[in-house]
C-alpha cells in the first residue's frame, strides 16, 4: 500500500471530528463573506452617503454578533481538528507498539531502539499535521473559494475571472517547488532516527566510553550528528519558506490586479482590455466588498500550501510506521490450540533445522527428548546453537525444518501465549525494568502477595541483600539494575522465575556471576524448583550440570552425544574433553 | 523565571543573528500593515475622486503598495530563514553543551536516571527550547516596537483612536499571553515528564521484550504505554483547546478594535475631522495591526513546556560530578604501584559503608587478587580506583600520587579494564575495538582478538571485522560479545590491568586459553583481579579477602581457604536452619 493510501485508510480513526472540523471552517468562511458585506455597507454609507451612527448602528450590532459567532467557531474548529488527529495518534501508537511486540525480540535485534523510540513518539505526533491540518485544508480548498466566487461573480464578473484564473497557479507552483521536498523530508527523518539511536547508544555506553578515554572524543561526533540534523531540517524548512513566499507573492499579485481593476473603474479610467469586452460598471460598495473578499479567496489556497508541508512531514513519519506494520511476525499463522499436556511438561525436538540466513544452518537436524519432570542440561562451546534452541522453545524463532513437540502436541499449533504461560526463563543477561524490586520479581504474577514475593526472593537467595537495602522490596531499580551487582540482578531474575511457578523452567547460565557460596545456595533453590518440574539448564561451567538427569552435548548445530555425567565422562568424547579442559575447576562444585 | 535568565545566557552568542532577525521581522510586519492600509485608502480615494470628478495622483500610492507587497514577501522569507537558522544552530550547539555536562556525571551520578529519560532530555527537551527563540523572544521584540509605532500613528488622527487601539493590542498582546502562560504551566511540565516516561517505557518495552513476553507482562507494558500516550495527548488536548481559545480571542480583539474604531471614527467623518478615505484606511489598518500580537498567546502557552525542559536540562547540568577534577595538571607517574591506604567509602543514602579500612599495596609489575562474595565491595574498589567515586577517607595512590590529583581521563589512560560488563556499541566489530585506540593498526587489532580467543570466529564471518554487532551487541552470542569486550580492553595497552571476572560465562576450554594468553600479557604490568571464585589463583602474588566491605584476610594464596570458611559460616548456618 502506498503511504498516501495508508494515510487515507486510517482516516476513519479520526471519527466524526474530521467532518465537524470541515463544517465549522466552512461556516466560518461563509460568515466571513457576510462580515465583509456588512463592513462594506457601513463604510460605503458613511463615506458616500453621509450616514451618521444612528443610520448604521444596526449594521454595527450585526457585525458584533458576527464577530462573536466567528470567534466561537474558530475555537471549536481548533478543538475538533486536534481531536481528530488525537484519536488517530492514540490508536496508531498503541497499534504500532503492539505490532512491535508481535514481531518479537528476533525482529527487534535488527533494529535500533533509539530510532524506534522516535517512530513511536515524534513519528506518531507528526501525523497530526496530516489529519488535523492537511485533510481539512484539502476539503476546504474545494468549498470556500467556490463560495466566494459565487458571491463575487454577480457583483463583478471581471474580478471573479481574475480570481478564477489565478487560483490554479498557486497549487501548480506549490507542486513544482515541493517536488524535491519529499526526499528532503525523508532525509530529515533518517537523520533524526540516526541522531536518536546514536544518543541512546552513547548514553547506555557512557561508562565504557569513559573507561577507554573516548567520551571526550564523542563530543565531536555529537556535534557532527546534531549539525547534520540541523542541516537536513533547514533544507526542509527552506523549501517550505520558499513555497510559502511564492504563494504569498501570487496571492498579492492576484489581489493587486483585482484592486487595480476596481480602482480604475471607480476613478473612471479605461481598463486596459480590448474594447469588445463589455466591462461591468461597479459601485464603491461592490468594489470594497470584492476587494475585502480577495484575500479570503486566496487564504484556503495558501493554507493548503502551508499544510502540504505538514503532510510531507506526516508522510515521512508514516513511512517508518508502515515499515514496522508491514514486517511479518516470524510465525505467520499463530497456533490456536490450548496447551494440552499436563504438568510436568515433556518436550521433543524432531529433526529440527534452523538457519538465520539461507545456506548457513545454525541447527542441523536436532533430535532429543526432554522427558517430563527431568532435569536436562545443554552444554557446548559458545556459538554451538544453545541460545537458538532456547529461542525456538520460547517461540521467538520458528524451525525452518522439523518440528518441536510438547507432549504429543506440535508447538507450531499451540497458542503461544498459553504456551508461554507455562514457562519460566532466566536469560544470560536479565533485564530489570523501571519500578521497584518487588515489581520486578512480580513481573510474571503482578497480583502476587508480598509474602509470596518474599518467599521467591528467599528461595533465589536474594532476600538477604534486599532486606539490607534501606527501602527493601520497594527500592527503585533502573534498567541496568542501577546500584546492584551482576550477581544480585541474577538472583532477582531467579526470584522472578521462582514466583512464576511454571512447569517448564529454562535457565540460561542462571548461576553465572555468583560467588561459589551463593551459587551453591541458589543451586539448592534450583533443586527445590526442579522437584515437580521439567528443567532445561544451559551451562558453560560444567560443575553445574553434574546433577542433570541427562546432558546433551551440542556442537555446531548437532547433538553429538548425550547421557549422564558419568556415562559421558567415560566415553572420551567432546564432553570428556571439555571436562579435561575445565581442569581444577571441575571439582569446585564438590568442594563447596 | 531563573531558567529564563540562564537560557538567555546560552542565547547570547546568537545576539547578532537575533537582532537581524528581529529587524527583518519588524520590517515585514510594517510592510504588511502599510500594504493593507494603503490599499484601503487608495480604493476609497479613487472612488471619491471618480465620484467628484477631480484628478488625483495615483502613482505614488500605487508605488507604495507595490513596494510594500515586495518587501512583505521577501522580508517574511528572509526573516524566517535567519531566525530558524539561528535557532537550529543554537539547538545543535546546546546538544553538545548538554553532553559535555552529562559526560562527567557517568557513572556515579547517572545511576538514578533511565537512559530513556536522558534521551528525552538531549532530544526533546533541547528541541523544546526553540520555542523561546523563534516564538517568544523575536515576536515579543517585534510586538513591543510595533505597538508603540501603531499607537503613535493613531495619535496623529485622534487620541481616542490611539487609546482604543492600544487597549485592544495590549489585551491581545499582554493579557492573553499572561492568561495562557498560567494555563500552560502545569500541562507543559506534565508533557515534558510524560514524553520522558513514554521514551523510557518504549525503551524498556523494546530492549526487554523477550522477558516481558515470556512473563506475560507484554500486555501490561502495552497498556502502560497506551495510558502514557493517552495522558500525553490529554494534556496536549487541553493546550490545544486553550490555543484555539486564544486564537479566537485575538481575532475577536481585532474585530472589536475595528468595531470601537467605527463608533469613534464615524462621527469624526461626519464632522469633517477625518477624511473618508482615512476611515477605510484606519479600518483596514486596525485589522492588520493585530498580526503583531497574534503569535504571542501560543508562544507564552508553550513557555510552560519550554521552562520545564530548561529545568530538566539544568538539573543535569548543575549536578556536581561525584569526583571534582583538580585545577592543576595531572602528575606524570613514572612507576605504577597501586596503594589503598585505609580507604573507607559509603554510597549515598546507604546506612553501611561499602568498604572500610582497606589497605593494599600492589607494587609495580606484581599481581593481586581481591576475593569476596557478591556485594562484598570488590567492584567498589574498582570504582574508586577508576576515580568514578572518591573515598570518604583514606587515599588511593598510583605511582605515589593521590589519584584525586589526576584528571579522570589522565588517570584512566594508565588503566585497562578487562570485563564483560562493558557496552558494545551499535557499530562494526572493528569500530567497537577502535574505541580503545583509534589509531590501532590491523595487526594490533588481530593480536588482541587472538588473545581474547575471538579472532578465529571473526575471521570466519563473511564480513570479518566489518560485521555489524547490533545494539548492545545483540547480533553476537553472549560469549562472543564478551570476548570482543575483552579484546577491546587488551587493545588499550596500559601499564595497569584491572581484571573483573574476565572469564565469567566462558566455556572451560576458552577460559583456559584466555587465561594463558592473559598470563603473558600481564608480564610487567600491575594487575588487580577481582573474583568471587577462590579457585585457581596460583598465579597471583597476594590476595585480599573481603567480607561486607572489610578485610578478612590478606597475604599469599594460602590465607584464602581459611578466610572463606570463616566468612561464609553465618550464611551456611542460615541455610541449614531453614
Amino acid at each position: 500500500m502506498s503511504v498516501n493510501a495508508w494515510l487515507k485508510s486510517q482516516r476513519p480513526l479520526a471519527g466524526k471530528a474530521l467532518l465537524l472540523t470541515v463544517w465549522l471552517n466552512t461556516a466560518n468562511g461563509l460568515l466571513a463573506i457576510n462580515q465583509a458585506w456588512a463592513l462594506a455597507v457601513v463604510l460605503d454609507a458613511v463615506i458616500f452617503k453621509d450616514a451618521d451612527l444612528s443610520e448604521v448602528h444596526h449594521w454595527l450590532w450585526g457585525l458584533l454578533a458576527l464577530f462573536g459567532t466567528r470567534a466561537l467557531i474558530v475555537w471549536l474548529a481548533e478543538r475538533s481538528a486536534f481531536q481528530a488527529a488525537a484519536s488517530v495518534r492514540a490508536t496508531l501508537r498503541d497499534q504500532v507498539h503492539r505490532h512491535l511486540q508481535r514481531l518479537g525480540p528476533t525482529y527487534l535485534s535488527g533494529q535500533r531502539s533509539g530510532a524506534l523510540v522516535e517512530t513511536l513518539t515524534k513519528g506518531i505526533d507528526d501525523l497530526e499535521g496530516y489529519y488535523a491540518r492537511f485533510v481539512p485544508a484539502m476539503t476546504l480548498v474545494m468549498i470556500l473559494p467556490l463560495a466566494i466566487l459565487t458571491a463575487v461573480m454577480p457583483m463583478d464578473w471581471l474580478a471573479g475571472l481574475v480570481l478564477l484564473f489565478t487560483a490554479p497557479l498557486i497549487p501548480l507552483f506549490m507542486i513544482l517547488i515541493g517536488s524535491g521536498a519529499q526526499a528532503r523530508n525523508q532525509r530529515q527523518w533518517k537523520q533524526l532516527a540516526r541522531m536518536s539511536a546514536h544518543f541512546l547508544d552513547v548514553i547506555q555506553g557512557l561508562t565504557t566510553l569513559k573507561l577507554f578515554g573516548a567520551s571526550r572524543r564523542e563530543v565531536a561526533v555529537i556535534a557532527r550528528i546534531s549539525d547534520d540534523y540541523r542541516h537536513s531540517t533547514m533544507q526542509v524548512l527552506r523549501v517550505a519558506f520558499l513555497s510559502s513566499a511564492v504563494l504569498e507573492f501570487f496571492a498579492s499579485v492576484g489581489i493587486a490586479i483585482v484592486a487595480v481593476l476596481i480602482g480604475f473603474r471607480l476613478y473612471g479610467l479605461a481598463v486596459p482590455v480590448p474594447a469588445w469586452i463589455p466591462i461591468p460598471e461597479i459601485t464603491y460598495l461592490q468594489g470594497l466588498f470584492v476587494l475585502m473578499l480577495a484575500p479570503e479567496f486566496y487564504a484556503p489556497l495558501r493554507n493548503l500550501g502551508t499544510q502540504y508541508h505538514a503532510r510531507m512531514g506526516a508522510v515521512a513519519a508514516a513511512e517508518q510506521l508502515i515499515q514496522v506494520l508491514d514486517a511479518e511476525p516470524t510465525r505467520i499463522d499463530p497456533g490456536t490450540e490450548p496447551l494440552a499436556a499436563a504438568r510436568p511438561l515433556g518436550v521433543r525436538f524432531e529433526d529440527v533445522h534452523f538457519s538465520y540466513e539461507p545456506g548457513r544452518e545454525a541447527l542441523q537436524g536436532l533430535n532429543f527428548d526432554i522427558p517430563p519432570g527431568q532435569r536436562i542440561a545443554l552444554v557446548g562451546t559458545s556459538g554451538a546453537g544453545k541460545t537458538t534452541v532456547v529461542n525456538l522453545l520460547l517461540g521467538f524463532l520458528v524451525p525452518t525444518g522439523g518440528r518441536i513437540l510438547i507432549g504429543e502436541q506440535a508447538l507450531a499449533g499451540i497458542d503461544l501465549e498459553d504456551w508461554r504461560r507455562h514457562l519460566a526463563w532466566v536469560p544470560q543477561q536479565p533485564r530489570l525494568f523501571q519500578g521497584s524490586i518487588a515489581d520486578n520479581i512480580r513481573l510474571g504474577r503482578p497480583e502476587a502477595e508480598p509474602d509470596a514475593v518474599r518467599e521467591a526472593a528467599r528461595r533465589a537467595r536474594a532476600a538477604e541483600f534486599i532486606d539490607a537495602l534501606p527501602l527493601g522490596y520497594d527500592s527503585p531499580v533502573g534498567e541496568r539494575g542501577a546500584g546492584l551487582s551482576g550477581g544480585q540482578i541474577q538472583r532477582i531474575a531467579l526470584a522472578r522465575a521462582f514466583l512464576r511457578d511454571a512447569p517448564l523452567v529454562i535457565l540460561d547460565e542462571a548461576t553465572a556471576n555468583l560467588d561459589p557460596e551463593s551459587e551453591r545456595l541458589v543451586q539448592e533453590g534450583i533443586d527445590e524448583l526442579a522437584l515437580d518440574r521439567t528443567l532445561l539448564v544451559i551451562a558453560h561451567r560444567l560443575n553445574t550440570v553434574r546433577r542433570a538427569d541427562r546432558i546433551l552435548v551440542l556442537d555446531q548445530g548437532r547433538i553429538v552425544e548425550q547421557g549422564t555425567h558419568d556415562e559421558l565422562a567415560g566415553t572420551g568424547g567432546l564432553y570428556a574433553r571439555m571436562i579435561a579442559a575445565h581442569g581444577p575447576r571441575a571439582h569446585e562444585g564438590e568442594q563447596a | 523565571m531563573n531558567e529564563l535568565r540562564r537560557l538567555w545566557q546560552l542565547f547570547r552568542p546568537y545576539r547578532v543573528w537575533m537582532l537581524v532577525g528581529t529587524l527583518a521581522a519588524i520590517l515585514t510586519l510594517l510592510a504588511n500593515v502599510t500594504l493593507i492600509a494603503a490599499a484601503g485608502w487608495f480604493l476609497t480615494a479613487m472612488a471619491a475622486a471618480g465620484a467628484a470628478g477631480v484628478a488625483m495622483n495615483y502613482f505614488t500610492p500605487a508605488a507604495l503598495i507595490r513596494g510594500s507587497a515586495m518587501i512583505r514577501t521577501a522580508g517574511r522569507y528572509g526573516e524566517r530563514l535567519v531566525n530558524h537558522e539561528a535557532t537550529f544552530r543554537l539547538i545543535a550547539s546546546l546538544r553538545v553543551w548538554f553532553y559535555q555536562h552529562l559526560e562527567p556525571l557517568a557513572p556515579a551520578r547517572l545511576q538514578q536516571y533511565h537512559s530513556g529519560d536522558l534521551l528525552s532530555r538531549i532530544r526533546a527537551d533541547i528541541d523544546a527550547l526553540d520555542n523561546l527563540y523563534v516564538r517568544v523572544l523575536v515576536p515579543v521584540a517585534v510586538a513591543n516596537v510595533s505597538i508603540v509605532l501603531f499607537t503613535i500613528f493613531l495619535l496623529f488622527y485622534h487620541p481616542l483612536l490611539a487609546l482604543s487601539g492600544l487597549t485592544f493590542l495590549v489585551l491581545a498582546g499582554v493579557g492573553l499571553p499572561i492568561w495562557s502562560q498560567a494555563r500552560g504551566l502545569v500541562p507543559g511540565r506534565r508533557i515534558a515528564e510524560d514524553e520522558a516516561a513514554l521514551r523510557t517505557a518504549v525503551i524498556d518495552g523494546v530492549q526487554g521484550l523477550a522477558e516481558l513476553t515470556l512473563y506475560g507482562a507484554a500486555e501490561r507494558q502495552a497498556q502502560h504505554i497506551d495510558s502514557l500516550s493517552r495522558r500525553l495527548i490529554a494534556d496536549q488536548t487541553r493546550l490545544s483547546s486553550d490555543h484555539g481559545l486564544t486564537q479566537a480571542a485575538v481575532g475577536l480583539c481585532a474585530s472589536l478594535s475595528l468595531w470601537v474604531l467605527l463608533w469613534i471614527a464615524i462621527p469624526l467623518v461626519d464632522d469633517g475631522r477625518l477624511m473618508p478615505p482615512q476611515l477605510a484606511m484606519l479600518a483596514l489598518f486596525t485589522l492588520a495591526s493585530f498580526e503583531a500580537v497574534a503569535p504571542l498567546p501560543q508562544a507564552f502557552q508553550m513557555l510552560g513546556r519550554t521552562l520545564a525542559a530548561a529545568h530538566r536540562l539544568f538539573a543535569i547540568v548543575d549536578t556536581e560530578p561525584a569526583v571534582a577534577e583538580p585545577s592543576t595538571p595531572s602528575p606524570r607517574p613514572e612507576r605504577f604501584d597501586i596503594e589503598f591506604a585505609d580507604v573507607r567509602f559509603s554510597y549515598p543514602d546507604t546506612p553501611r559503608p561499602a568498604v572500610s579500612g582497606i589497605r593494599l599495596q600492589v607494587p609495580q609489575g606484581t599481581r593481586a587478587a581481591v576475593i569476596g562474595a557478591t556485594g562484598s565491595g570488590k567492584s567498589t574498589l574498582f570504582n574508586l580506583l577508576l576515580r568514578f567515586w572518591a573515598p570518604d577517607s583514606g587515599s588511593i595512590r598510583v605511582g605515589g600520587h593521590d589519584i584525586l590529583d589526576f584528571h579522570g581521563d589522565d588517570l584512566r589512560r594508565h588503566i585497562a579494564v578487562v570485563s564483560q560488563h562493558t557496552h558494545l556499541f551499535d557499530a562494526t566489530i572493528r569500530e567497537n575495538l577502535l574505541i580503545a585506540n583509534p589509531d590501532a593498526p590491523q595487526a594490533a587489532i588481530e593480536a588482541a582478538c587472538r588473545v581474547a580467543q575471538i579472532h578465529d570466529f571473526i575471521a570466519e564471518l563473511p564480513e570479518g571485522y566489518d560485521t555489524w554487532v547490533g545494539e548492545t551487541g545483540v547480533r553476537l552470542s553472549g560469549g562472543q560479545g564478551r570476548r570482543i569486550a575483552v579484546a577491546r580492553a587488551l587493545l588499550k595497552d596500559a601499564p595497569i590491568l584491572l581484571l573483573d571476572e574476565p572469564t565469567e560465562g566462558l566455556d572451560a576450554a576458552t577460559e583456559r586459553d584466555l587465561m594463558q594468553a592473559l598470563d603473558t600479557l600481564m608480564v610487567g604490568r600491575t594487575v588487580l583481579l577481582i573474583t568471587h571464585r577462590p579457585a585457581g589463583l596460583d598465579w597471583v602474588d597476594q590476595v585480599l579477602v573481603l567480607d561486607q566491605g572489610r578485610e578478612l584476610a590478606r597475604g599469599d594464596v594460602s590465607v584464602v581457604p581459611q578466610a572463606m570458611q570463616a566468612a561464609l559460616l553465618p550464611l551456611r548456618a542460615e541455610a541449614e536452619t531453614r
Side-chain angles (χ1 to χ4, degrees), chain A residues 158-178:
Chain A
L158 186 63
L161 282 183
V162 172
L163 295 181
L164 187 62
F165 284 106
T166 49
L169 285 177
I170 291 185
L172 184 72
F173 273 85
M174 185 178 89
I175 290 165
L176 278 181
I177 292 176

Side-chain angles (χ1 to χ4, degrees), chain A residues 151-161 258 261-262 265 280-282 286 290:
Chain A
V152 167
M153 278 298 183
M155 303 275 166
D156 180 17
W157 59 261
L158 186 63
L161 282 183
V258 169
L261 287 177
I262 294 171
R265 278 179 289 164
E281 287 292 313
I282 194 168
Q286 291 168 329
V290 171

Side-chain angles (χ1 to χ4, degrees), chain B residues 33 41 59 110 162 171 175 204 232 245 262 265 272 278 301 310 368 377 424-425 429 467 471 516 560:
Chain B
V33 174
W41 181 87
F59 292 106
L110 297 184
L171 196 61
D204 264 356
L232 179 67
L245 196 61
L262 289 175
Q278 289 172 340
Q301 179 191 49
L424 285 182
F425 292 90
I429 293 177
T467 306
E471 199 167 65
Q516 274 172 6
V560 177

Side-chain angles (χ1 to χ4, degrees), chain A residues 325-342:
Chain A
L325 291 173
D326 275 357
E328 297 278 350
T330 29
R331 193 163 168 169
I332 291 158
D333 39 2
T336 49
E337 310 160 23
L339 180 66

Side-chain angles (χ1 to χ4, degrees), chain A residues 89 113 215 230 443 458, chain B residues 85 103 220 236 471 578:
Chain A
R89 283 159 57 208
S113 321
S215 53
R230 165 185 76 90
L443 189 69
R458 200 187 54 73
Chain B
E85 183 73 42
E103 182 264 344
R220 247 180 303 138
Q236 287 168 339
E471 199 167 65
R578 190 171 38 76

Side-chain angles (χ1 to χ4, degrees), chain B residues 181-415:
Chain B
Q181 198 256 340
R183 293 269 301 177
L185 221 48
V186 173
R189 198 183 60 229
R190 271 212 304 261
I191 285 175
E193 286 161 6
D194 288 347
E195 281 191 2
L198 191 61
R199 282 194 165 77
T200 299
V202 170
I203 290 174
D204 264 356
V206 167
Q207 294 187 337
L209 183 59
E211 276 149 292
L212 291 173
T213 310
L214 242 291
Y215 283 92
E219 172 60 27
R220 247 180 303 138
Q221 186 75 3
Q223 281 168 9
H224 175 56
I225 286 179
D226 189 43
S227 76
L228 280 175
S229 160
R230 284 177 199 275
R231 199 164 83 195
L232 179 67
I233 290 173
D235 275 323
Q236 287 168 339
T237 305
R238 186 172 148 191
L239 287 186
S240 149
S241 170
D242 281 359
H243 165 56
L245 196 61
T246 53
Q247 211 185 348
V250 170
L252 194 61
C253 279
S255 304
L256 288 177
S257 182
L258 168 69
W259 197 73
V260 172
L261 175 124
L262 289 175
W263 281 97
I264 300 170
I266 287 172
L268 294 178
V269 175
D270 293 337
D271 293 356
R273 279 187 287 171
L274 206 60
M275 301 299 290
Q278 289 172 340
L279 177 65
M281 184 270 289
L282 288 175
L284 292 181
F285 165 84
T286 301
L287 286 179
S289 66
F290 278 79
E291 194 189 305
V293 294
L296 293 182
Q298 194 192 11
F300 277 83
Q301 179 191 49
M302 287 168 65
L303 211 52
R305 168 75 179 97
T306 306
L307 290 177
H311 185 79
R312 286 166 49 81
L313 293 171
F314 288 132
I316 295 288
V317 168
D318 293 344
T319 306
E320 289 287 329
V323 187
E325 296 285 353
S327 50
T328 49
S330 305
R332 295 166 176 275
E334 283 164 10
R335 299 181 48 80
F336 293 95
D337 326 84
I338 302 171
E339 184 190 357
F340 287 84
D342 204 11
V343 170
R344 177 194 172 89
F345 174 74
S346 334
Y347 289 101
D349 308 320
T350 50
R352 192 171 66 83
V355 290
S356 75
I358 300 298
R359 283 168 228 256
L360 181 67
Q361 283 188 326
V362 192
Q364 167 156 332
T366 67
R367 304 166 180 185
V370 181
I371 310 174
T374 318
S376 61
K378 306 183 302 286
S379 310
T380 304
L381 288 187
F382 269 20
N383 281 337
L384 291 170
L385 182 55
L386 287 165
R387 218 176 163 286
F388 288 153
W389 293 97
D392 298 336
S393 65
S395 67
I396 304 171
R397 295 175 172 273
V398 165
H401 304 279
D402 191 323
I403 61 166
L404 295 181
D405 295 338
F406 288 84
H407 289 261
D409 276 354
D410 292 337
L411 174 71
R412 290 189 286 269
R413 190 167 301 141
H414 306 305
I415 304 173

